[in-house]
Amino acid sequence: MTGPDEGEFEAGELVRPYVVTKGRGLPDDSKLSLITLVTATADHQQRPTRLSPEEQRLLDLAAVGYLSVAEIAGHTQLPLGVVRIVLSALIEGGYLIARPPVERAALADQQILQEVLNGLRSRFG
């Protein structure tokens, strides 16, 4: 028989994330990445009481304004995967609004930058 120091876990520690997520899987990274901004909908005050305590807590955090998925995970101290799954469910339920990250800007053409630099040098010495 192994003692508590030898890797013995309580059943609740292993089951809890599965229970919190209600068995749902991770959302697609393009749908809900670490830097996706999330906020509560305008009618967040009319929440149904059937939400879990974790869902209620995430809604409370999102009600203050836009927060990233990573920030929400940090405030709740829940595993990131669990937070992403619960947030995805709340978005699908219409309780939250997600704003995906802004697309990365295209890099400027080096030839154009060189022409601008040459123009500035000729103008201002």
Side-chain angles (χ1 to χ4, degrees):
M1 178 166 210
T2 61
D5 295 337
E6 297 177 19
E8 190 174 301
F9 293 102
E10 294 283 331
E13 293 174 340
L14 298 176
V15 176
R16 185 156 174 75
Y18 181 81
V19 172
V20 170
T21 62
K22 299 177 185 170
R24 294 180 292 248
L26 282 170
D28 186 22
D29 279 342
S30 63
K31 181 180 177 186
L32 200 62
S33 70
L34 289 175
I35 57 175
T36 299
L37 298 177
V38 179
T39 191
T41 58
D43 58 348
H44 69 276
Q45 299 297 336
Q46 302 173 353
R47 295 182 202 156
T49 56
R50 70 180 187 273
L51 295 176
S52 69
E54 291 82 11
E55 290 171 326
Q56 291 284 358
R57 187 167 179 211
L58 292 179
L59 284 175
D60 289 339
L61 282 171
V64 298
Y66 279 99
L67 291 173
S68 72
V69 173
E71 288 173 314
I72 292 172
H75 287 297
T76 61
Q77 297 181 348
L78 289 171
L80 180 61
V82 170
V83 171
R84 287 182 60 216
I85 292 168
V86 175
L87 286 176
S88 178
L90 291 171
I91 291 167
E92 289 172 7
Y95 302 112
L96 295 177
I97 299 170
R99 193 170 82 190
V102 177
E103 293 290 326
R104 182 174 278 215
L107 295 176
D109 185 22
Q110 187 174 4
Q111 181 181 357
I112 292 174
L113 292 175
Q114 189 61 49
E115 289 175 14
V116 169
L117 180 62
N118 292 340
L120 289 171
R121 284 184 179 154
S122 68
R123 172 87 176 163
F124 299 107

